[in-house]
Amino acid sequence: MLMLLNTFAYLAAIEPKTGSKVALITGSNKGIGKEIARKLAATPDMTVILGCRNLELGAAAAKELAACAWPPPKQADVAVQRIDLADLATIEAARDAIASEYGRLDVLVNNAAICFNDPTLYGRTRYTPFEQQASITLQTNFFGTLALTRAMLPLLRASPSPRIINVASAAGRLRGSAEKIAALTSPTLSLTNLEAIMCSFVSDAEAGMHQARGWPNTCYGVSKMGLIAMSRVLARDEPAIMVNSVDPGYCATDQNDHQGYESAERGARTSALLAMLPAENFVSGAHWFEEREMDWTYQ
């Protein structure tokens, strides 16, 4: 089993290399994404781009994180880019802006996601029936993330040591019928086929037939299964890019009304370590939890 060094001390001692690295973290104005950004902003020679739907909230987070640079009192290089995973125009605009400003992307952390907690996010949101949750959840967590990743691939290929970190969840553990599991783990699975599989879940959920057709009873979980499968396919198709998925644990964030038992800072550690892993320690196609490689089945 692979294991990451569970410390950031050695990273702080690394001599900055020529040319700042560029990292884009989605959903990074709060929660786990913000803590990942905080750790990257504190490392030498790193430009951090906060990908946020709300520019005002993103600007406030950027101002806070600018004070995280190492060594103090240097200001960290933190920028903000509007990205809404349900809006392709914002994805394309972000790609163009990063290409124009930096010419490449070294790190993409796909952290942004939505979740309909049962039944109404602890009474704070209006109830949404399961069959209506499916399309909304998959559009953001899977299809939007895939669209952003595809848009950024040319910029990642321009990096000398590119990496993609997909923030997943234990909810995305491999499960379902034997047929579904075989499809998601096929060594010949393509992104196009994976999109079709995820579309079939949405159709089945909307028809109230998802469990009868071998799917687990969770839109969020299926979206994260798709994300982990996407990581594995990309790792195979893009052998020069480190592509990994990460389970941050059950962290106390807005998504669960702060019911989680781990801090967002703890949940951010593995993703940040993978983002900063030295190129000679290349690892790809793995699923991680608490700095250790985790089997997708969680068994």
Side-chain angles (χ1 to χ4, degrees), residues 94-273:
R95 174 202 59 205
D96 294 345
I98 294 170
S100 176
E101 181 71 20
Y102 306 104
R104 73 173 195 274
L105 184 64
D106 299 283
V107 179
L108 172 61
V109 182
N110 286 313
N111 166 75
I114 61 171
C115 178
F116 290 89
N117 287 279
D118 293 332
T120 61
L121 189 56
Y122 308 95
R124 295 200 295 114
T125 61
R126 181 177 298 178
Y127 174 68
T128 302
F130 188 92
E131 62 270 16
Q132 295 176 24
Q133 296 178 21
S135 178
I136 300 169
T137 304
L138 272 289
Q139 179 56 52
T140 297
N141 298 1
F142 177 77
F143 293 107
T145 298
L146 178 56
L148 177 67
T149 302
R150 280 175 165 156
M152 296 300 166
L153 277 175
L155 297 175
L156 287 159
R157 292 172 185 141
S159 168
S161 181
R163 61 277 316 270
I164 298 170
I165 299 102
N166 290 321
V167 180
S169 168
R173 65 187 180 277
L174 188 62
R175 51 185 162 156
S177 68
E179 179 185 8
K180 293 293 187 289
I181 290 173
L184 290 170
T185 58
S186 170
T188 61
L189 180 66
S190 68
L191 291 179
T192 300
N193 289 340
L194 180 57
E195 287 178 282
I197 292 170
M198 293 295 105
C199 281
S200 72
F201 167 75
V202 174
S203 297
D204 290 344
E206 290 177 341
M209 296 292 293
H210 60 286
Q211 288 182 287
R213 292 176 178 165
W215 293 106
N217 191 37
T218 163
C219 295
Y220 181 75
V222 171
S223 75
K224 293 299 186 177
M225 273 206 300
L227 188 66
I228 296 170
M230 184 182 87
S231 304
R232 292 158 60 96
V233 174
L234 280 170
R236 184 195 67 212
D237 292 351
E238 299 285 341
I241 302 178
M242 295 188 204
V243 187
N244 293 279
S245 56
V246 175
D247 173 4
Y250 189 41
C251 299
T253 65
D254 284 355
Q255 190 179 86
N256 56 39
D257 199 30
H258 296 268
Q259 301 296 306
Y261 47 77
E262 295 284 2
S263 68
E265 184 279 327
R266 179 66 186 92
R269 291 182 199 173
T270 301
S271 293
L273 283 166

Side-chain angles (χ1 to χ4, degrees), residues 20-51:
S20 180
K21 293 182 180 179
V22 182
L24 170 64
I25 305 112
T26 63
S28 48
N29 62 277
K30 63 180 180 179
I32 295 168
K34 184 178 179 181
E35 294 307 316
I36 296 171
R38 190 189 306 278
K39 293 179 185 301
L40 298 191
T43 61
D45 220 25
M46 179 77 77
T47 296
V48 174
I49 305 170
L50 308 182

